[in-house]
Amino acid sequence: MAEARLRRVRADNPSPLTGSGTNTWLVGEGAVTVIDPGPALPAHLEAILAALEPGEAVARIIVTHAHRDHSALARPLAKATGAPVLAFGPAEAGRSAVMTRLVAAGFEGGGEGADSDFAPDARLADGDRLDLPGHAATLEVIHTPGHMGGHLCLALGTLLFSGDHVMGWATSLVSPPDGDMRAYMTSLERLAAREWSRFLPGHGEAVEEPAARLAELLAHRRQREAQVRAALAESPGNATDLARRIYTDVSPTLLPAASRNVLSHLIDLSERNLASCDGVPSLSAPFRAV
Ligand SMILES: [Zn+2]
């Protein structure tokens, strides 16, 4: 059996958080599956349509998660092609119990890049399998909450479209309440339990050694957690203070994202009774070690 044809169309939206731009993946041929249509740039819509051969059509549009740099072009592409948009759900779908509780208690902030208008035509769930026309292989849906509650990865045999969950060039932003550190770690561990040949992420180049990258990311987060705990043991502080103390090697433009990552560790530590905070957690709320 021939392998499914893969094409990448990179969007022209480079930034510190999107790297060289969003990767839109075209899977199969004839009736093509589009994974992550990308940002709402007319030139990117044209580039996706231009990547199709004469006689080819888009059969379905899958969105890994409802961040605008992945999802915003879904509706224009659906209109242009007649293909349905498939995803886990709207931007808040899959939010963890912890984050749902914190939002109800008045937690503010987060929501960076969330596509609040996003509405898929049909919902995908963990374990769903989608046929690729002309191929024996199926696309397997893997729910990987963490970066966002509704984040999906798509497996094609041992190849994984990893969205923003696992990338080679950067770690993932885990910003509460859309992001949840415990869920993110669990999703990494779940992927690490399987054999993979290659990851094709939402930004940057392919990850050629997925097992090593997963191990590195898990170790990195455990080390960050240890740094947060050590800093808290020295003296109480809020997420922004702690990020300044811990992320000494990060450019100032990324400090807000680093602070959100630290807050996600602090909330996770609080849930495990290893840290505490009076009132509702926030970037400026002081936490202390327990
Ligand atoms: Zn994202």
Side-chain angles (χ1 to χ4, degrees):
M1 183 193 71
E3 292 199 351
R5 183 175 172 193
L6 298 178
R7 282 163 270 183
R8 175 174 70 171
V9 184
R10 178 176 282 169
D12 187 18
N13 62 332
S15 76
L17 284 174
T18 59
S20 47
T22 303
N23 293 325
T24 295
W25 296 100
L26 276 56
V27 187
E29 47 196 328
V32 174
T33 295
V34 173
I35 298 178
D36 281 346
L41 298 173
H44 191 54
L45 175 61
E46 275 174 35
I48 293 170
L49 296 175
L52 300 171
E53 309 279 359
E56 282 194 315
V58 175
R60 61 168 83 92
I61 301 159
I62 301 176
V63 173
T64 60
H65 64 296
H67 275 155
R68 284 192 298 273
D69 58 324
H70 296 254
S71 60
L73 197 62
R75 198 48 58 193
L77 183 62
K79 284 202 176 117
T81 60
V85 177
L86 314 178
F88 187 82
E92 289 177 9
R95 181 170 278 173
S96 70
V98 177
M99 294 305 162
T100 302
R101 194 187 76 226
L102 291 181
V103 168
F107 183 90
E108 289 177 353
E112 302 87 353
D115 186 351
S116 53
D117 296 330
F118 181 67
D121 297 310
R123 288 186 172 213
L124 296 173
D126 189 66
D128 283 352
R129 284 182 174 272
L130 305 170
D131 291 333
L132 287 180
H135 290 275
T138 56
L139 267 180
E140 177 194 352
V141 176
I142 305 177
H143 182 212
T144 48
H147 170 67
M148 208 177 199
H151 192 286
L152 300 175
C153 291
L154 286 309
L156 182 61
T158 59
L159 182 76
L160 187 78
F161 296 93
S162 56
D164 281 5
H165 181 52
V166 179
M167 299 178 282
W169 67 285
T171 57
S172 304
L173 176 66
V174 180
S175 173
D178 302 318
D180 180 291
M181 188 57 73
R182 183 75 354 216
Y184 171 74
M185 295 293 281
T186 302
S187 293
L188 286 179
E189 285 162 357
R190 193 174 162 212
L191 290 185
R194 283 174 61 164
E195 294 270 332
W196 302 104
S197 56
R198 236 177 154 210
F199 285 0
L200 301 177
H203 307 271
E205 297 309 313
V207 176
E208 303 292 352
E209 294 187 23
R213 183 61 176 152
L214 286 167
E216 183 180 34
L217 290 173
L218 282 163
H220 169 74
R221 296 294 176 161
R222 289 181 187 126
Q223 188 200 355
R224 280 280 185 248
E225 181 187 290
Q227 287 174 317
V228 171
R229 291 187 68 185
L232 272 188
E234 263 173 38
S235 62
N238 65 39
T240 305
D241 301 333
L242 292 166
R244 272 199 210 98
R245 280 153 67 184
I246 295 165
Y247 286 73
T248 49
D249 54 345
V250 88
S251 96
T253 56
L254 287 174
L255 197 65
S259 303
R260 306 294 307 177
N261 275 327
V262 169
L263 182 59
S264 68
H265 279 295
L266 289 167
I267 291 171
D268 178 38
L269 290 169
S270 302
E271 290 300 308
R272 290 151 60 203
N273 296 317
L274 296 168
S276 75
C277 152
D278 297 329
V280 180
S282 69
L283 283 178
S284 57
F287 283 78
R288 60 181 175 277
V290 171

